[in-house]
Amino acid sequence: SFGYVNVLQFSDGPSAIRYLQVSSNRADLILSDWEMPELSGLELLKAVRMNPQRKHTKFLMVTSQRSQERMKITRAAHWK
């Protein structure tokens, strides 16, 4: 309903980064969990923002209510 046609899912952050490193691969929006195996959502966000071709990609981070929300939001906002 949001107009996204191709939706891909990766089992961990390194797999997502490998996909995003290929310039011909498209990513209009990234949905990420904060806590993933092998690589945190913040580390994925940093990798996306540091890639000149991906730095403006929309990025939505999901985290649990029991985690330290304010600290996570502050750290992630630094990489906008």
Side-chain angles (χ1 to χ4, degrees):
S1 67
F2 290 106
Y4 297 103
V5 178
N6 297 319
V7 177
L8 303 174
Q9 178 178 337
F10 298 94
S11 59
D12 55 49
S15 298
I17 288 175
R18 282 192 296 277
Y19 174 84
L20 293 168
Q21 287 174 336
V22 177
S23 62
S24 61
N25 290 342
R26 185 173 174 166
D28 297 322
L29 171 68
I30 297 172
L31 302 175
S32 175
D33 192 348
W34 182 278
E35 298 177 29
M36 300 184 292
E38 300 183 47
L39 188 81
S40 73
L42 182 59
E43 291 168 313
L44 176 59
L45 175 62
K46 288 177 183 180
V48 170
R49 292 297 179 251
M50 293 174 74
N51 181 330
Q53 295 176 326
R54 306 288 184 192
K55 66 181 181 179
H56 297 294
T57 303
K58 295 175 186 88
F59 198 106
L60 178 67
M61 184 95 62
V62 178
T63 185
S64 70
Q65 286 187 338
R66 293 188 312 178
S67 66
Q68 298 173 342
E69 297 285 328
R70 186 174 300 277
M71 179 272 305
K72 289 181 177 181
I73 292 168
T74 301
R75 288 176 61 195
H78 170 77
W79 291 95
K80 59 180 167 177

